[in-house]
């Protein structure tokens, strides 16, 4: 069986790592196509090096652009690649512009498509990720759901016959890297200058357009972070740096200390060193949950509802609308004591994915 994985953005590289490693243990041929949606070394190269992912077989080099330009560039660059390779399966990951483009290119060539991380929903139609994931689910042949909640969403949309519960492959990699970090197999903690890891600090990221693109909102969120009674290590995504620059907003306000995005092991080490996380990233909400750090999410909703239901995550859509005392109390709250269980699986999701695809072989091919 020949499988092509199509990836392009940072979170997809994290999910690719356990999938590539699992395919390498089988006799299947696994090719990697990198769309080039993320091109900065901090968002791409360090993940290949740090997670031992083989170099991409094909690099499309599409880069940035408006949603239409980025998605269209991936589509037109993929057609000749898929035509040449004619894989048995095309595997797309998550909810990015690279995902919807990969799925569309494949279905139009009648190539079976499997969607990893299917069934997630924010029910927020302002998010580009929501359009991407809904459309990808509806055109894919096999829907690999990470959670029971995702299975439920797929069933509600009439897609149960194409859905299988696989678990979340991010658990596989997160727990493996956590153990390696604890065993001292990774180099020292790299935190922004001014953060003392022996004292409590919060780890923060912000990159969603709804938080970065409106100057008033971005400025208010940063002001709220800067006024907290604990220092904040802000790992600044290129979108955040670019938008803050355009709006003339200083990221390093008050107790905020700014650093670059970290490689995956560095991120896991930083979460473990922190006393809590403040973010709008989907992946980091789950990593905080898996590494047992309380998380506060600067969004009105989350796809990862289990993190909230178990008390490890709190939604804070507008931190500046809270009093400084309430905001501080939220981000520094104590961790829940009840066992949250394993809503995202037991760390063997990549094996489930490969097995489900093998068993599905032939079923998904269109005639
Ligand atoms: C993308 C995904 C999002 C994912 C995130 C993780 C979509 C619609 N969004 O958001 O689901 O959570 O990746 O990081 O696919 N930029 C750089 N260097 C890079 C990449 C981006 O400077 O290597 C800057 C550019 O100014 C670009 C902006 O970031 O215009 C946005 O990049 P884009 O890939 O469109 O979306 P992300 O915000 O990274």
């Amino acid at each position: 069986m020949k499988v092509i994985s199509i990836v392009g953005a940072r979170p997809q590289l994290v999910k690719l790592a356990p999938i590539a490693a699992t395919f390498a243990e089988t006799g299947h041929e696994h090719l990697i196509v990198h769309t080039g949606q993320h091109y900065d070394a901090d968002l791409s190269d360090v993940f290949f090096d740090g997670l031992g992912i083989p170099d991409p077989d094909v690099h499309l080099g599409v880069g940035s652009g408006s949603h239409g330009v980025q998605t269209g560039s991936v589509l037109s660059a993929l057609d000749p690649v898929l035509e040449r390779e004619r894989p048995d399966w095309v595997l797309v990951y998550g909810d990015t512009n690279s995902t919807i483009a990969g799925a569309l290119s494949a279905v139009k060539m009648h190539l079976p498509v499997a969607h990893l991380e299917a069934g997630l929903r924010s029910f927020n139609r302002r998010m580009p990720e929501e359009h991407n994931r809904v459309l990808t689910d509806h055109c894919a042949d096999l829907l690999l759901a990470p959670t029971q909640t995702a299975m439920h969403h797929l069933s509600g949309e009439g897609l149960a016959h194409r859905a299988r519960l696989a678990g979340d492959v991010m658990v596989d990699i997160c727990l493996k890297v956590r153990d390696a970090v604890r065993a001292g197999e990774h180099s020292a903690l790299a935190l922004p200058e001014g953060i003392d890891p022996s004292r409590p600090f919060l780890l923060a990221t912000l990159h969603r357009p709804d938080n970065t693109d409106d100057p008033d909102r971005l400025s208010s969120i940063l002001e709220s972070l800067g006024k907290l009674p604990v220092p904040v290590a802000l790992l600044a995504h290129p979108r955040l740096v670019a938008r803050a620059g355009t709006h003339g907003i200083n990221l390093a306000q008050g107790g905020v200390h700014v650093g670059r995005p970290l490689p995956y092991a560095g991120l896991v080490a930083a979460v473990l060193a922190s006393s809590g996380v403040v973010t709008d990233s989907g992946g980091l909400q789950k990593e905080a949950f898996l590494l047992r750090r309380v998380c506060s999410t600067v969004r009105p909703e989350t796809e990862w509802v289990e993190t909230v239901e178990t008390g490890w995550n709190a939604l804070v859509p507008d931190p500046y609308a809270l009093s400084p005392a309430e905001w501080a109390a939220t981000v520094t709250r104590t961790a829940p004591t009840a066992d949250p269980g394993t809503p995202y699986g037991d760390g063997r999701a990549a094996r489930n994915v490969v097995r489900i695809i093998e068993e599905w072989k032939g079923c998904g091919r269109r005639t």
Side-chain angles (χ1 to χ4, degrees):
M1 179 169 74
K2 185 196 238 186
V3 179
I4 291 191
S5 280
I6 299 175
V7 291
R10 175 172 60 174
Q12 296 170 324
L13 307 180
V14 176
K15 292 168 209 157
L16 171 63
I19 293 286
T22 306
F23 272 122
E25 291 166 7
T26 69
H28 303 307
E29 189 183 355
H30 179 232
L31 301 183
I32 298 171
V33 174
H34 191 321
T35 65
Q37 174 170 351
H38 283 175
Y39 43 87
D40 280 2
D42 285 347
L43 297 195
S44 181
D45 303 7
V46 294
F47 288 85
F48 281 89
D49 299 343
L51 296 176
I53 306 170
D55 286 342
D57 298 278
V58 179
H59 203 297
L60 305 179
V62 300
S64 294
S66 66
H67 289 294
V69 166
Q70 195 173 53
T71 308
S73 306
V74 176
L75 252 176
S76 56
L78 262 178
D79 277 4
V81 176
L82 295 184
E83 190 57 58
R84 185 179 70 233
E85 299 295 341
R86 301 295 309 178
D88 298 294
W89 281 97
V90 172
L91 185 56
V92 293
Y93 299 62
D95 55 20
T96 67
N97 291 336
S98 298
T99 300
I100 181 66
L104 269 182
S105 178
V107 291
K108 284 179 184 295
M109 285 186 196
H110 306 162
L111 295 170
V113 180
H115 183 205
L116 189 80
E117 212 178 78
L120 289 193
R121 297 291 181 265
S122 67
F123 302 102
N124 177 353
R125 302 267 298 174
R126 283 183 52 79
M127 292 178 70
E129 292 83 359
E130 186 76 354
H131 321 148
N132 290 340
R133 57 169 83 99
V134 171
L135 294 169
T136 302
D137 281 341
H138 282 261
C139 75
D141 300 273
L142 172 58
L143 305 174
L144 298 157
T147 60
Q148 281 293 357
T149 309
M151 288 294 283
H152 179 73
H153 293 149
L154 293 169
S155 174
E157 293 175 28
L159 298 172
H161 60 296
R162 292 193 238 148
R164 291 289 180 276
L165 181 63
D168 189 334
V169 297
M170 280 187 74
V171 177
D172 304 20
I173 188 75
C174 183
L175 299 186
K176 186 172 159 207
V177 171
R178 174 199 66 187
D179 293 346
V181 166
R182 283 189 175 149
E185 289 166 27
H186 288 285
S187 50
L189 195 57
L191 293 169
E193 225 177 287
I195 295 287
D196 175 357
S198 68
R199 302 176 70 88
F201 73 92
L202 294 165
L203 190 73
T205 72
L206 280 178
H207 79 279
R208 300 238 159 255
D210 266 358
N211 287 337
T212 59
D213 294 6
D214 172 358
D216 291 339
R217 180 167 169 81
L218 177 59
S219 183
S220 304
I221 295 172
L222 287 165
E223 208 180 307
S224 302
L225 285 173
K227 284 184 182 157
L228 284 169
V230 265
V232 175
L234 176 64
L235 306 178
H237 185 283
R239 169 187 278 280
L240 175 64
V241 174
R243 296 301 183 273
T246 310
H247 305 327
I249 296 170
N250 178 22
L251 293 178
Q253 301 190 22
V256 176
H257 301 262
V258 183
R260 286 164 48 177
L262 293 171
Y264 196 67
L267 178 84
V268 167
V271 173
L272 288 170
S274 76
S275 49
V277 169
V278 181
T279 190
D280 60 5
S281 150
L284 194 48
Q285 291 172 53
K286 243 180 323 158
E287 278 139 4
F289 172 84
L290 295 169
L291 300 170
R292 301 290 185 258
R293 291 295 177 274
V294 288
C295 182
S296 303
T297 296
V298 188
R299 281 183 51 192
E301 75 285 301
T302 179
E303 298 78 2
W304 304 107
V305 291
E306 301 80 5
T307 59
V308 175
E309 288 161 2
T310 53
W312 285 91
N313 193 5
L315 298 176
V316 192
D318 308 308
Y320 45 83
L322 300 180
S323 73
E326 276 175 320
W327 167 230
T330 302
V331 297
T332 58
R333 69 195 186 277
T334 50
T337 47
D339 178 2
T342 52
Y344 302 112
D346 58 3
R348 283 179 290 190
R351 268 181 266 171
N352 294 339
V353 165
V354 173
R355 180 181 48 75
I356 294 167
I357 293 177
E358 283 169 346
E359 288 172 4
W360 206 270
K361 197 175 168 188
C363 303
R365 189 172 285 282
R366 288 150 207 264
T367 51

